Amino acid sequence: MAFFPDGRLLASGSDDRTVRVWDVETGTEVRLFGGQMFSGRIRGVAVSPDGERLAAGTSDGKVKNWEVSR
């Protein structure tokens, strides 16, 4: 898991090969990345210091990153 710099959003990775972004205050899912774009389970997530990019690493050694629009 990784918090966005403002502390209002949290990114989580899962064995179901998804990365989700959550609103911390409400517990609501605000973005979903995953499914067939990943061939391995998510083992780590990171958010850039400016909160504009999100990266995820998988169990098969691949890394995927996105520009995150809020």
Side-chain angles (χ1 to χ4, degrees):
M1 289 190 279
F3 279 97
F4 280 72
D6 63 9
R8 295 172 41 186
L9 298 175
L10 174 71
S12 66
S14 178
D15 284 348
D16 70 0
R17 301 184 315 183
T18 62
V19 174
R20 297 170 193 268
V21 177
W22 305 90
D23 180 306
V24 175
E25 186 176 316
T26 66
T28 304
E29 179 184 302
V30 295
R31 292 288 303 267
L32 171 65
F33 304 93
Q36 297 179 352
M37 74 173 54
F38 294 114
S39 56
R41 295 176 174 156
I42 308 302
R43 292 295 180 227
V45 294
V47 177
S48 65
D50 63 5
E52 296 295 321
R53 300 204 52 86
L54 173 64
T58 63
S59 60
D60 61 355
K62 295 188 170 106
V63 174
K64 177 75 176 162
N65 64 66
W66 305 269
E67 286 187 34
V68 180
S69 60
R70 296 200 213 181

